[in-house]
Amino acid sequence: METNTARGDNEALTRLRGIGIVGEASLKMLLLILMGLVVLDIVIQGVCCIYAHRGAGASQAQQSPRVVLSGSGSTFIYPEMKVWITRFEKENPSISIIYNPTGSGTGQSQLLKEKVVDFACSDPPLSHEQYEKYKGQVLQMPVIIGAVAIVYKIPGYNGPLNLSAKVIAEIYLGKIKYWDDPEIARLNPGAKLPHAVIKVIHRSDASGTTEVFTFFLHKAAPSLWPASLVGKAIEWPVDSTGRGLGAKGNQGVAEYFKRLGSAIAYVELGYALENKFPIAAIRNAAGRFVKPSPETMQAAVASALRSGVLPDSPLADWSNALNAIVYAPGEKAYPIVSFSFMMTWARYPAPKAAALKKFIEYINTVGQSEIVEGYAPIPQGLREINLKALSIIKGG
């Protein structure tokens, strides 16, 4: 049976022969060429459709790019921040967060002065003077509770150690040189402390941990530790004796401490626990010797909340928060406690504003149930204050 295609070919050949253009062989060749051109046209149209589809996909991708948030600052909060970022990014794959633990002072500078990061973390809040300068532009949110631990290494002694602000101040002033000093022995009756020189480790960088520690010394022993020795970076009197040693970051202090045979240092509690350093009990405002723990840290925060000093907005002045929480009254309160604050601007480009608000919401909801060892979650009242940031931060 003759097919439709064959009949069409024969009819075309007959018509072309009838008008005397070419012979039969040439006509068949011409038809093959024409059919090839038709097939080629179909292929080209298909390829164009594919690339048009890909172009549309690329255009959609350009409309929703991956958002990158950068932060820097406190080494105090760094162990917790790593956990928050890792878990948040798993739930929000279109957002990447980079946090560099540079120290609170550098973090504040990179956010406020250099403007090279999107947020900063700092253990002390902005001073009142800084607050006045950036009033209405910068938000501060206390996102976690931490403690500064006093760690010690005493040759031949593995027992507990009690210390007071007065004794710690005298060690860092260079006045107490040996572990068996009468001032230390008086706080530790029955302890067989050796006549060993104490190496005194402190931070060498601009540090929120240092500000919290030195503020405690001044508040608890003002006659020994003057206000001029309170800050993120100070001139340490003990350095003039040759027994003072500076290290960068909580990480650096921990590494330095490991290498010494007889030493004292102040370090964020999480680093002390991670490295299994012996931790001293510190005499609090009620006269009791207390070690840092989630319970004793929260007792200090509860006292601060009762004081009525803490504000009710991320845009408010938090400069008195450190005074309220450090050396707080209460028998169970650990005396060297601090919030770690997250600081942001009030306005960003729209994509960054949306991403940052998601991260803030995560930290103050799910994140407070994901607290690593050495920290304590903030109470519900503070979480609600922080969440006000979601309506304050604007994009565009």
Side-chain angles (χ1 to χ4, degrees):
M1 182 182 291
E2 186 180 32
T3 65
N4 292 334
T5 302
R7 282 199 301 270
D9 288 347
N10 288 335
E11 290 172 0
L13 286 168
T14 301
R15 284 195 298 272
L16 289 169
R17 275 196 302 268
I19 59 177
I21 298 177
V22 290
E24 184 172 343
S26 298
L27 285 171
K28 286 184 177 181
M29 180 62 68
L30 180 59
L31 284 172
L32 287 172
I33 292 171
L34 291 172
M35 290 173 66
L37 291 173
V38 170
V39 171
L40 180 61
D41 182 61
I42 293 171
V43 170
I44 290 171
Q45 289 185 41
V47 171
C48 289
C49 288
I50 291 171
Y51 277 94
H53 177 73
R54 288 181 180 176
S59 176
Q60 290 173 1
Q62 289 173 358
Q63 292 171 7
S64 56
R66 188 177 184 85
V67 179
V68 178
L69 297 175
S70 62
S72 73
S74 169
T75 63
F76 190 90
I77 198 177
Y78 183 53
E80 181 61 45
M81 186 60 71
K82 284 192 297 184
V83 172
W84 283 340
I85 289 174
T86 299
R87 296 179 181 176
F88 175 80
E89 287 181 338
K90 285 182 180 179
E91 296 179 14
N92 299 272
S94 64
I95 302 172
S96 290
I97 302 175
I98 302 166
Y99 182 78
N100 187 10
T102 57
S104 297
T106 300
Q108 285 192 23
S109 178
Q110 289 184 341
L111 176 72
L112 303 175
K113 297 178 181 178
E114 300 165 37
K115 299 182 180 179
V116 294
V117 294
D118 300 308
F119 68 93
C121 290
S122 175
D123 309 323
L126 297 179
S127 66
H128 179 70
E129 292 73 24
Q130 287 175 305
Y131 166 74
E132 288 294 335
K133 181 177 180 179
Y134 296 103
K135 187 175 181 178
Q137 303 175 62
V138 173
L139 287 74
Q140 301 179 87
M141 294 157 278
V143 292
I144 201 167
I145 307 165
V148 178
I150 307 302
V151 297
Y152 61 93
K153 191 182 291 184
I154 305 174
Y157 179 76
N158 298 314
L161 186 69
N162 293 330
L163 294 173
S164 65
K166 178 178 182 293
V167 165
I168 298 168
E170 289 184 333
I171 291 173
Y172 275 85
L173 287 169
K175 295 181 178 182
I176 291 180
K177 183 176 181 180
Y178 300 102
W179 282 117
D180 62 351
D181 187 278
E183 291 287 336
I184 300 177
R186 203 170 1 257
L187 301 177
N188 298 275
K192 295 181 179 180
L193 300 170
H195 188 67
V197 173
I198 307 171
K199 292 291 186 181
V200 184
I201 307 173
H202 57 77
R203 291 281 288 273
S204 61
D205 54 326
S207 157
T209 307
T210 295
E211 183 163 350
V212 173
F213 174 64
T214 56
F215 184 83
F216 159 70
L217 294 179
H218 174 62
K219 185 175 181 181
S223 62
L224 280 172
W225 200 269
S228 59
L229 289 179
V230 175
K232 295 181 182 68
I234 66 167
E235 293 293 328
W236 294 93
V238 71
D239 286 357
S240 65
T241 69
R243 291 182 285 108
L245 303 166
K248 186 176 181 179
N250 278 295
Q251 309 96 312
V253 170
E255 289 302 316
Y256 218 147
F257 184 80
K258 290 177 186 177
R259 300 200 299 266
L260 296 174
S262 176
I264 190 170
Y266 62 92
V267 68
E268 188 274 320
L269 177 60
Y271 292 89
L273 295 173
E274 180 183 347
N275 290 283
K276 297 181 172 56
F277 295 152
I279 299 171
I282 309 301
R283 188 157 62 193
N284 66 12
R288 293 184 174 272
F289 290 99
V290 179
K291 282 190 172 185
S293 70
E295 293 73 26
T296 60
M297 287 188 280
Q298 288 175 325
V301 172
S303 176
L305 288 170
R306 287 193 298 270
S307 72
V309 170
L310 301 182
D312 61 358
S313 169
L315 283 173
D317 183 1
W318 287 82
S319 60
N320 285 325
L322 197 60
N323 186 49
I325 197 174
V326 170
Y327 204 58
E331 292 193 355
K332 295 181 180 179
Y334 182 69
I336 323 176
V337 173
S338 174
F339 294 119
S340 202
F341 287 83
M342 183 177 186
M343 300 178 177
T344 74
W345 293 104
R347 182 169 291 278
Y348 293 87
K352 289 210 172 193
L356 190 59
K357 288 198 281 188
K358 278 189 177 182
F359 189 43
I360 291 170
E361 183 176 19
Y362 170 83
I363 287 173
N364 289 283
T365 52
V366 177
Q368 293 299 313
S369 64
E370 299 175 336
I371 304 299
V372 300
E373 186 181 29
Y375 301 89
I378 56 173
Q380 184 61 36
L382 288 180
R383 300 178 204 182
E384 292 172 2
I385 291 172
N386 292 343
L387 288 171
K388 292 179 181 180
L390 304 185
S391 60
I392 295 172
I393 295 174
K394 305 297 182 184

